[in-house]
Amino acid sequence: EAQVIIENQATPFDKTIGPQDGSGAWQVTDHMVSSQVSAMRSDDIASRVVDQLSLDKNPNYNANLASRGMLGRLAILLGFKDDPSLYTAKALATKTLASDLTIYPVPESKVIGENYHAAEPANAEAASQAIVATDVLTNRAQRVSALARTLKCTARPLVCL
C-alpha cells in the first residue's frame, strides 16, 4: 500500500487572482483530489507500468501464457469468461493490473491511498511502487511543461497571443 500527497500544481502565472483566504497558498480542492484519483486509475498509467515491469510476459497478468483447465475453457465457451485470445498481451496485462488496483481519496485530507493485490507479494510491491512512481513522474513532467510554456510567454508575450 502506498499514499500520495496531492499538491496544487498551479504556478503564479496560471491564475490572475491570488488566494482569497489570505493564506498565501493555493488550496487543494476535492475536485483536484478526485481528478488525481482518476489519473492514477487511467489506462495510460497502467500501460506504462505494464511496459516498465514487462507484465505482458508474466502469466499472472497475461492469461494467454497461463494454461487453462477444462473448466476454464468451458467457461469461455459458454461466455462466462472473456476469451483472452481476443486481446493483445499488453491489453490483458493492463486489464489485470487495473482490476487488482484500488485507488481512493483518504477522507478529510489531501492524500490518495493506493493498494494493489497480486498473487505474488513481490509482484504486488513492484507494481504498487511503479504505479505511484509513474504517476509522480507524469505530474512532474506536466509541471515542467507548464513552466516552460509560462517562461516562453513571459519572455516573448506576443508568441502566446
Side-chain angles (χ1 to χ4, degrees):
E1 185 167 340
Q3 293 186 339
V4 178
I5 296 176
I6 304 302
E7 297 174 335
N8 187 332
Q9 298 173 10
T11 67
F13 301 104
D14 294 335
K15 307 282 182 184
T16 56
I17 301 172
Q20 301 300 315
D21 65 357
S23 68
W26 295 98
Q27 299 298 312
V28 173
T29 64
D30 289 341
H31 176 71
M32 291 174 182
V33 173
S34 65
S35 293
Q36 192 61 37
V37 167
S38 295
M40 287 181 75
R41 285 184 182 145
S42 72
D43 287 343
D44 180 52
I45 296 288
S47 178
R48 291 180 193 195
V49 171
V50 165
D51 289 342
Q52 181 182 351
L53 300 177
S54 300
L55 296 178
D56 55 335
K57 296 173 179 64
N58 184 328
N60 291 326
Y61 294 87
N62 181 351
N64 287 328
L65 298 177
S67 61
R68 284 186 287 279
M70 182 59 122
L71 286 178
R73 290 193 300 262
L74 185 61
I76 291 169
L77 284 172
L78 295 175
F80 292 113
K81 290 178 74 177
D82 284 342
D83 183 355
S85 66
L86 300 176
Y87 299 94
T88 65
K90 186 170 182 176
L92 283 170
T94 301
K95 182 178 175 182
T96 303
L97 181 70
S99 70
D100 295 336
L101 177 64
T102 304
I103 297 180
Y104 55 94
V106 175
E108 309 281 329
S109 73
K110 57 181 182 177
V111 174
I112 293 176
E114 179 268 343
N115 197 341
Y116 185 75
H117 299 282
E120 298 176 16
N123 285 346
E125 181 179 359
S128 182
Q129 290 175 359
I131 290 163
V132 171
T134 301
D135 179 65
V136 169
L137 291 175
T138 300
N139 286 331
R140 188 173 295 152
Q142 289 171 348
R143 282 197 306 263
V144 168
S145 177
L147 181 58
R149 283 192 311 273
T150 301
L151 292 175
K152 180 179 176 184
C153 289
T154 57
R156 300 175 63 196
L158 296 178
V159 172
C160 298
L161 297 176

